[in-house]
């Protein structure tokens, strides 16, 4: 397989984008990425989107978006693995280039979530869980993650304050990210005292409903050195793993087995370990998710993830900065776009373009994007060339 | 890139499968394919499905289906490009193996379409068209293909009888396929006189609503020779192209540009032309579609596709047999599974396993699977080893 690199990234401010359609949102990000890469065409594209059928009544996104981007008749395909769809689109683009099938491939992600009412969004998101054995019983995603949080607290003594510290840290980082949906800071007390969604999770433990897109341009490392005006970023590893769809089928609902497996596979492929990673963008759809993920990726011992944000170890400037972008919590979570946005933050950090939230001297970054309650997980490791 | 082969295929009878859920339908086909291949594991899987979110309220199918197949924690991803999702899943499996990422990969497709009412199915299918500029105005798929038929009749003199002959031929072939949903024969008069759906298309010009799954096992050609007890089938070419999503954006609505481009790309990669193909499985979602497709693939001159079935040239035993399986018309059209089922028929034909519908001496077969009104198209060429 050929070595693969990222040569361009593009993203606009996320939020409630009432005046823009899904195709507008995607196309704007894709054009920014193409411009950033300095290329005049792309040879193929992959688009991550979780549920445009339920959110906006449009499937067949590969065709719609290559058409609106003016890139037809290139091969263009949507991939879906719930909230990890963006990471999966990036992974397929990397595999495509690595195989030699195409030279310059766009990996994009998009979700337009605000064109349905609250119940419609909750239902669309619930389709990432087990429709027959979980959703049918009435559970929602805050409910599922609340069960994981209760289990983690019971088994490991994780505290309400430790959950809050994750939100505090991520909003602090996000306040320095001009593209974030909620670029404001919050306090430990505000998080704990905000509206209860599913005990113990409050509204400030939850990532928001977001409209947004993201895109990256991938090519072979050889072509990157030839084509790119900016410093290319090399893809050191790409891994994907799955777990049981339903939470109740797992041995321990506070442990993310697919994250552990994807992480181990990525470390092995890159010949690296957790200590070699300078920062990580993780899937903090809820505060408890970040705590579980940093354990499963080996940055904290099992059961000790709650100490990460509380101790400052996961802050920018700490031992292992987690979510310097603000994460899903502050930046927003347009589900299909999230995984690609993690790649964008990583590329920007490795280029040294992150201003006040820059992780100093960053040479190797990791992204972790997951679907459902961790039923699928995609991990990438990227490094400076 | 490594050479890729198919070593196993699996499919059960299609129809209105009220007693089976989507995951049952997929798993049964996948287990048949694994058994046919004689392998004891798979390393990754791709699943084509158009709209499980709208049809059964379940996204995240990669995870659900690897879990229910007992294959977690392998990487498992759903891909979607409307009715060409199955062909795209097979293509991604081929790219994955060709890249060297995995050794044994399952390509599956599934759709469970009968768990919604008629209006629900019509809406779900409409999401393959342009939601903003076509569906919003009230068009449905029979309406869109009817416009293509009227244009073809007007420009090229194609007749009502020629449309009927496509249905007659495909039902005749399907009557010899024990897995077909509608394995009965029809007459030219019956097709023309059946209920009018969208002038000039009657109900017997349309493929049905179907529940069904299909799966194939792909590996490197080297591994195939080592692993397979049966004769492996080599993938000679895999191509994917797109066109504008909306019919009204095309220069000529009776011409399928994405089919032409994918076909040309496949012929080029395989070093073959239309005369080298012994039979073809095409996407006859409506009778007019088969007529347009066999022109775009170069089997008939532009405007002359209507003569194919009428003259007997596309019958089994004719110059270029089209849809020996019975096609979407008779075999059924569970949209995400259709592209994989075309691969299955092709493998069975090349193995000489097709009984009464066998194309004698077949050495090279082609599949053509498309989404929407031809906004996306996936073409494969397979050959005996």
């Amino acid at each position: 397989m050929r070595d693969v690199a990222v040569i361009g990234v593009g993203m606009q401010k996320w939020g409630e984008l009432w005046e823009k359609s899904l195709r507008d949102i995607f196309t704007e990000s894709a054009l920014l990425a193409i411009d950033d890469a300095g290329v005049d065409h792309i040879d193929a594209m992959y688009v991550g989107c979780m549920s445009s059928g339920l959110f906006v009544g449009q499937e067949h996104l590969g065709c719609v978006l290559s058409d609106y981007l003016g890139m037809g008749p290139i091969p263009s395909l949507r991939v879906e693995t719930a909230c990890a769809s963006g990471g999966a689109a990036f992974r397929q683009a990397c595999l495509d280039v690595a195989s030699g099938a195409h030279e310059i491939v766009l990996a994009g992600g998009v979700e337009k979530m605000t064109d349905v009412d609250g119940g419609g969004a909750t239902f669309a998101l619930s389709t990432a869980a087990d429709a027959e054995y979980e959703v049918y019983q009435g559970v929602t995603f805050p409910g599922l993650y609340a069960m994981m949080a209760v289990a983690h607290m019971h088994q490991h003594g994780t505290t309400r304050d430790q959950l809050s510290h994750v939100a505090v840290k991520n909003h602090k980082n996000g306040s320095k990210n001009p593209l974030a949906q909620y670029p404001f800071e919050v306090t430990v007390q505000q998080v704990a005292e905000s509206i209860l969604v599913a005990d113990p999770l409050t509204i400030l433990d939850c990532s928001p409903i977001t409209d947004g897109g993201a895109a990256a341009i991938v090519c072979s490392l050889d072509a990157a050195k030839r084509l790119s005006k900016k410093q290319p970023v090399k893809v050191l590893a790409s891994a994907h793993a799955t777990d049981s769809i339903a939470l109740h089928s797992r041995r321990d609902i506070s442990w993310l087995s697919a994250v552990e497996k994807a992480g181990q596979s990525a470390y092995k492929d890159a010949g690296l370990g957790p200590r070699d990673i300078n920062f990580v963008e993780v899937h903090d759809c809820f505060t408890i998710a970040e705590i579980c993920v940093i354990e499963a990726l080996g940055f904290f011992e099992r059961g000790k993830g709650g100490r990460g944000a509380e101790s400052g170890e996961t802050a920018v400037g700490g031992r292992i900065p987690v979510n310097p972008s603000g994460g899903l919590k502050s930046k927003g979570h347009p589900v299909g776009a999230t995984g690609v946005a993690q790649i964008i933050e990583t590329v920007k950090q490795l280029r040294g373009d992150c201003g006040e939230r820059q992780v100093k001297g960053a040479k190797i970054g990791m992204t972790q994007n997951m679907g459902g309650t961790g039923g699928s997980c995609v991990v990438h490791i990227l490094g400076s060339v």
Side-chain angles (χ1 to χ4, degrees), chain A residues 299-313:
Chain A
F299 297 115
F300 287 84
E301 283 178 40
R302 190 164 186 149
K304 304 287 170 58
R307 299 186 190 172
E310 188 181 39
S311 67
E313 287 176 86

Side-chain angles (χ1 to χ4, degrees), chain A residues 27-110:
Chain A
T27 304
E28 289 176 1
S29 296
L31 289 174
L32 285 175
I34 290 168
D35 198 44
D36 189 48
V39 295
D40 60 2
H41 74 287
I42 54 174
D43 299 315
M45 60 189 248
Y46 292 88
V47 182
C49 182
M50 175 180 161
S51 196
S52 55
L54 288 165
F55 280 119
V56 299
Q58 177 75 72
E59 310 280 11
H60 210 185
L61 279 193
C63 174
V64 175
L65 299 178
S66 61
D67 184 13
Y68 274 75
L69 192 56
M71 291 294 169
I74 63 164
S76 175
L77 185 64
R78 172 204 178 189
V79 303
E80 182 268 319
T81 181
C83 309
S85 299
F90 182 75
R91 179 173 152 77
Q92 290 307 118
C94 292
L95 275 179
D96 188 313
V97 170
S99 78
H102 297 103
E103 277 301 318
I104 305 174
V105 178
L106 186 144
V110 65

Side-chain angles (χ1 to χ4, degrees), chain A residues 296-341:
Chain A
L297 292 176
F299 297 115
F300 287 84
E301 283 178 40
R302 190 164 186 149
K304 304 287 170 58
R307 299 186 190 172
E310 188 181 39
S311 67
E313 287 176 86
T314 57
V316 173
R319 175 171 68 84
I320 173 70
V322 176
N323 282 325
S325 71
L328 286 56
K329 256 309 291 145
S330 166
K331 189 171 74 233
H333 184 28
V335 288
T338 284
V340 180

